[in-house]
């Protein structure tokens, strides 16, 4: 069974940092791009970042460029999101998702999400 | 950046109704479009990918069509489990953009 489990969310002050974790299982992790997608409370979905199978390519939505860094460890079947200089508007549930970058362009498996709250 | 516009934002319907949701892209995306269903407190679930391909396990009452800039999600006979929010999502190179969502409510 394909599964993604996120962790690392919590309450952080504006300007602070947080690192999110996503542990994957049930598929050949090293064969897939992976993405982070977020959803602010009561709002729609926003793609945040993705990373190629070997980590050699990484892309970000403009609003997080220079502040967030996506990375992965294929040996641990994990993907990470380092979030620095956090803003109130970064408050959201962050989902880890398997990214069908080449053949379908969609996200076919998602984790349950982890809540990040940026507030003073 | 490619913008995705869904309509309507909210839709009131009854069980058994035929429901149509439209998604418009700000520029051509060929058939690189997916549709998701999301229920409160849950992760989204993909229904349709590449505009018209039905995801495995998704009921056949869901269908998608379109190409270029205009896309449609149709639910042929709305069921109680279908009351949810639906999102379209485009894929253009590395970037992804979602529509703002369509909430399907009970009439």
């Amino acid at each position: 069974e394909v599964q993604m489990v996120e962790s690392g969310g919590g309450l952080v002050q504006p300007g602070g940092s947080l690192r999110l974790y996503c542990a994957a299982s049930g598929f050949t992790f090293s064969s897939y791009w992976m993405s982070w997608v977020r959803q602010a409370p009561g709002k729609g979905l926003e793609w945040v970042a993705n990373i190629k199978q070997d980590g050699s390519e990484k892309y970000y939505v403009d609003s997080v460029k220079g502040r967030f860094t996506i990375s992965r460890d294929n040996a641990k079947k994990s993907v990470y999101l380092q979030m620095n200089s956090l803003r109130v508007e970064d408050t959201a549930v962050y989902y880890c998702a398997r990214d069908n970058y080449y053949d379908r362009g969609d996200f076919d498996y998602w984790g349950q999400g982890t809540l990040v709250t940026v507030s003073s | 950046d490619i913008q995705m516009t869904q309509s309507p934002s909210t839709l009131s319907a009854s069980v058994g109704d035929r429901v149509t949701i439209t998604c418009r892209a700000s520029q051509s995306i060929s058939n690189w479009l997916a549709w998701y269903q999301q229920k409160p407190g849950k992760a989204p679930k993909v229904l349709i990918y590449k505009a018209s391909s039905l995801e495995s396990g998704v009921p056949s009452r869901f269908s998608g069509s379109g190409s270029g800039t205009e896309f449609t999600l149709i639910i042929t006979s709305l069921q109680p489990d279908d009351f949810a929010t639906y999102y379209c999502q485009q894929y253009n190179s590395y970037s992804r953009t979602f529509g703002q969502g369509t909430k399907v409510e009970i009439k």
Side-chain angles (χ1 to χ4, degrees), chain B residues 19-36:
Chain B
V19 166
T20 301
I21 300 171
T22 298
C23 184
R24 185 171 288 113
S26 59
Q27 65 187 71
S28 178
I29 56 170
S30 184
N31 66 342
W32 293 107
L33 186 101
W35 290 97
Y36 299 85

Side-chain angles (χ1 to χ4, degrees), chain A residues 45-66:
Chain A
L45 300 164
E46 181 181 42
W47 168 79
V48 174
N50 61 6
I51 185 168
K52 192 176 180 178
Q53 291 94 324
D54 62 358
S56 61
E57 294 182 39
K58 306 173 185 181
Y59 300 102
Y60 302 90
V61 68
D62 285 348
S63 59
V64 309
K65 282 179 184 175

Side-chain angles (χ1 to χ4, degrees), chain A residues 37 39 43-45 47 50 59 62 95 99 101-107 110-111, chain B residues 1 32 34 36 38 42-44 46 49-50 55 87 89 91 93-96 98:
Chain A
V37 177
Q39 187 169 36
K43 302 296 184 182
L45 300 164
W47 168 79
N50 61 6
Y59 300 102
D62 285 348
Y95 295 100
D99 188 334
Y101 186 93
Y102 292 119
D103 57 345
R104 296 174 26 158
D106 69 322
F107 308 110
W110 300 62
Chain B
D1 290 356
W32 293 107
Y36 299 85
Q38 188 180 33
K42 300 293 186 181
V46 65
Y49 62 93
K50 291 192 77 174
E55 174 71 337
Y87 294 93
Q89 171 247 314
Y91 163 52
S93 184
Y94 65 85
S95 172
R96 311 287 199 276
F98 291 89

Side-chain angles (χ1 to χ4, degrees), chain B residues 12-86:
Chain B
S12 295
S14 301
V15 172
D17 283 354
R18 176 186 175 94
V19 166
T20 301
I21 300 171
T22 298
C23 184
R24 185 171 288 113
S26 59
Q27 65 187 71
S28 178
I29 56 170
S30 184
N31 66 342
W32 293 107
L33 186 101
W35 290 97
Y36 299 85
Q37 177 193 69
Q38 188 180 33
K39 296 181 179 179
K42 300 293 186 181
K45 169 189 170 184
V46 65
L47 304 172
I48 303 286
Y49 62 93
K50 291 192 77 174
S52 60
S53 295
L54 189 69
E55 174 71 337
S56 176
V58 173
S60 59
R61 63 180 180 272
F62 291 93
S63 65
S65 64
S67 66
T69 61
E70 289 277 331
F71 302 88
T72 301
L73 174 71
I74 293 175
I75 310 171
T76 52
S77 178
L78 198 66
Q79 298 302 301
D81 191 49
D82 301 337
F83 291 97
T85 301
Y86 294 84

Side-chain angles (χ1 to χ4, degrees), chain A residues 17-101:
Chain A
S17 297
L18 212 54
R19 185 175 174 87
L20 303 184
Y21 304 82
C22 170
S25 61
F27 65 102
T28 306
F29 180 77
S30 58
S31 296
Y32 286 86
W33 283 69
M34 295 295 294
S35 272
W36 287 96
V37 177
R38 68 183 178 182
Q39 187 169 36
K43 302 296 184 182
L45 300 164
E46 181 181 42
W47 168 79
V48 174
N50 61 6
I51 185 168
K52 192 176 180 178
Q53 291 94 324
D54 62 358
S56 61
E57 294 182 39
K58 306 173 185 181
Y59 300 102
Y60 302 90
V61 68
D62 285 348
S63 59
V64 309
K65 282 179 184 175
R67 301 189 299 122
F68 290 11
T69 301
I70 189 171
S71 61
R72 66 190 293 161
D73 184 333
N74 287 341
K76 295 183 177 179
K77 298 183 181 181
S78 294
V79 61
Y80 312 101
L81 188 67
Q82 177 66 43
M83 303 186 296
N84 298 331
S85 302
L86 281 161
R87 304 168 180 168
V88 170
E89 55 266 33
D90 295 319
T91 295
V93 173
Y94 284 74
Y95 295 100
C96 168
R98 192 171 82 169
D99 188 334
N100 288 306
Y101 186 93

